C-alpha cells in the first residue's frame, strides 16, 4: 500500500490546508499519516501550556481518526520549532518510519516561522531518507525510493511580505469537504483563541471560505486545496507528479504556473 505523510507545525494546520487531499488519497487506497511537529502548547489565552498540550493532543488524535490517518506524536512546542540538527534527526525518523511516496507540508513562504521551519525540516529530512550515513533519532534504517514533496498554500494565499502565492496544481476537495470540516471541528480548543487573536470569526467558517477561494482560483472546482511541487533533485524523477496521477480528474495542473506565466488573477 503506498503511503502519504502530512507534516505540519500545529494541531489544526493539516485540517486547514491539507486534509482534503489526504482524504482523497485514502479513498484511492493509500495509507495516510498525520504529524504535527508542535504540541500546540501556546494556543490559548487561558489554559497553561502543559494542560493545553494535553488537550490539543487529544483533539489531534480524534481528528486523525476522523480522517482515517495514523497519528504521530509531536516532537516540540509552539515557537520552538527550529531548524537544527536534533530536530532534523527526529523528523528524519518519522519520514523513514512512514516511507512515504508523497509528502504534504507547509509552504516555504508563510506568515510565521513555525510553518516555514517545518517546511525546511521536512525537505531536508526527506532528502536524507535514503542516506545510510545519516543517523535519525530514534535510529531508523535508510529507505530507498522516490518521494514527491508538495507545499500547501499558506493560510492567506500570500507570503510573509504580502506577495501572492500561486498554486501549481489544485486538488478538488468538494466531495470530501464535509469530512475535512468535521476533522477541523475536532480542534474545539482553538475556537475562542483564533477569534480573539486572529479575528477569524469561527475557524471552521474561515476554512470554508479559504477552500472556496482556492476553488475559485482553480476555475473549475467548488472547493479545492492548492499545491506546489518541490524541485525533484534528490527526491524523485523530473516529471513525477503522483497527485495528478492518483487523483485524475480531481487534480488540475496549472499549466500557466508550470510555464512561469501564472498570475494571481
Amino acid at each position: 500500500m503506498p503511503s502519504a505523510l502530512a507534516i505540519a507545525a500545529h494541531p489544526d494546520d493539516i485540517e486547514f490546508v491539507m486534509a482534503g487531499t489526504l482524504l482523497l488519497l485514502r479513498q484511492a487506497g493509500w495509507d495516510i499519516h498525520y504529524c504535527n511537529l508542535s504540541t500546540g502548547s501556546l494556543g490559548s489565552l487561558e489554559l497553561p501550556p502543559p494542560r493545553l498540550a494535553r488537550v490539543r493532543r487529544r483533539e489531534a488524535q480524534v481528528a486523525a481518526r476522523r480522517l482515517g490517518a495514523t497519528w504521530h506524536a509531536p516532537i516540540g512546542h509552539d515557537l520552538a520549532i527550529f531548524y537544527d540538527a536534533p530536530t532534523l534527526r527526529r523528523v528524519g525518523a518519522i519520514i523513514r518510519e512512514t516511507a512515504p511516496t508523497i509528502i504534504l507540508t507547509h509552504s516555504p513562504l508563510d506568515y510565521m516561522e513555525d510553518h516555514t521551519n517545518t517546511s525546511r525540516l521536512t525537505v531536508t529530512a526527506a532528502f536524507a531518507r535514503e542516506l545510510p550515513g545519516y543517523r535519525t533519532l530514534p535510529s531508523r534504517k535508510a529507505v530507498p525510493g522516490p518521494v514527491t514533496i508538495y507545499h500547501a498554500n499558506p493560510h492567506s494565499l500570500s507570503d510573509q511580505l504580502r506577495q501572492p502565492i500561486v498554486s501549481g496544481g489544485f486538488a478538488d476537495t468538494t466531495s470530501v469537504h464535509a469530512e475535512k470540516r468535521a476533522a477541523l471541528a475536532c480542534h474545539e480548543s482553538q475556537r475562542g483563541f483564533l477569534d480573539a487573536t486572529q479575528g477569524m470569526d469561527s475557524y471552521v467558517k474561515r476554512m470554508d471560505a479559504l477552500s472556496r477561494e482556492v476553488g475559485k482560483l482553480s476555475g473549475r472546482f467548488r472547493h479545492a486545496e492548492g499545491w506546489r511541487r518541490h524541485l525533484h533533485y534528490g527526491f524523485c524523477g523530473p516529471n513525477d507528479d503522483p497527485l495528478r496521477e492518483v487523483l485524475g480528474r480531481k487534480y488540475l495542473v496549472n499549466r500557466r504556473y508550470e510555464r512561469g506565466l501564472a498570475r494571481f488573477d
Side-chain angles (χ1 to χ4, degrees), residues 74-254:
I75 62 175
H77 301 290
D78 286 359
L79 303 185
I81 300 175
F82 301 125
Y83 187 86
D84 56 26
T87 307
L88 186 60
R89 293 187 190 282
R90 298 187 71 181
V91 178
I94 294 167
I95 290 176
R96 288 182 175 181
E97 286 175 8
T98 56
T101 304
I102 290 174
I103 293 178
L104 310 177
T105 192
H106 285 296
S107 169
L109 301 171
D110 209 334
Y111 77 103
M112 71 170 303
E113 296 300 303
D114 278 358
H115 291 193
T116 57
N117 285 339
T118 295
S119 178
R120 293 183 65 205
L121 288 161
T122 299
V123 168
T124 305
F127 188 89
R129 76 198 180 284
E130 60 182 0
L131 303 178
Y134 184 75
R135 300 180 62 182
T136 63
L137 184 66
S139 180
R140 296 290 183 266
K141 291 183 179 179
V143 293
V147 59
T148 305
I149 300 174
Y150 292 87
H151 295 283
N153 282 330
H155 290 302
S156 62
L157 302 182
S158 64
D159 66 18
Q160 58 268 58
L161 299 179
R162 301 173 180 261
Q163 296 302 301
I165 296 293
V166 180
S167 300
F170 300 90
D172 178 8
T173 59
T174 308
S175 64
V176 296
H177 185 74
E179 294 175 79
K180 174 180 174 179
R181 202 175 194 273
L184 178 59
C186 294
H187 299 275
E188 177 64 30
S189 66
Q190 291 306 281
R191 183 183 303 276
F193 174 73
L194 291 175
D195 284 351
T197 60
Q198 299 184 34
M200 297 186 77
D201 188 25
S202 174
Y203 67 126
V204 177
K205 290 182 180 179
R206 173 56 189 148
M207 186 276 289
D208 289 340
L210 177 63
S211 179
R212 287 192 298 269
E213 187 174 359
V214 177
K216 184 178 180 180
L217 290 170
S218 78
R220 181 179 298 182
F221 306 134
R222 182 181 179 189
H223 289 280
E225 291 174 351
W227 298 101
R228 291 184 295 162
R229 276 186 299 162
H230 198 86
L231 195 63
H232 63 280
Y233 296 117
F235 301 102
C236 59
N239 298 315
D240 288 3
D241 193 354
L243 281 185
R244 177 180 59 81
E245 295 167 6
V246 174
L247 301 187
R249 291 174 180 262
K250 291 191 174 182
Y251 194 79
L252 175 66
V253 174
N254 185 348

Side-chain angles (χ1 to χ4, degrees), residues 23-39:
L23 285 164
L24 293 174
L25 289 170
R26 190 199 70 189
Q27 289 182 353
W30 284 53
D31 185 19
I32 61 173
H33 295 263
Y34 174 113
C35 179
N36 302 303
L37 297 189
S38 173
T39 61

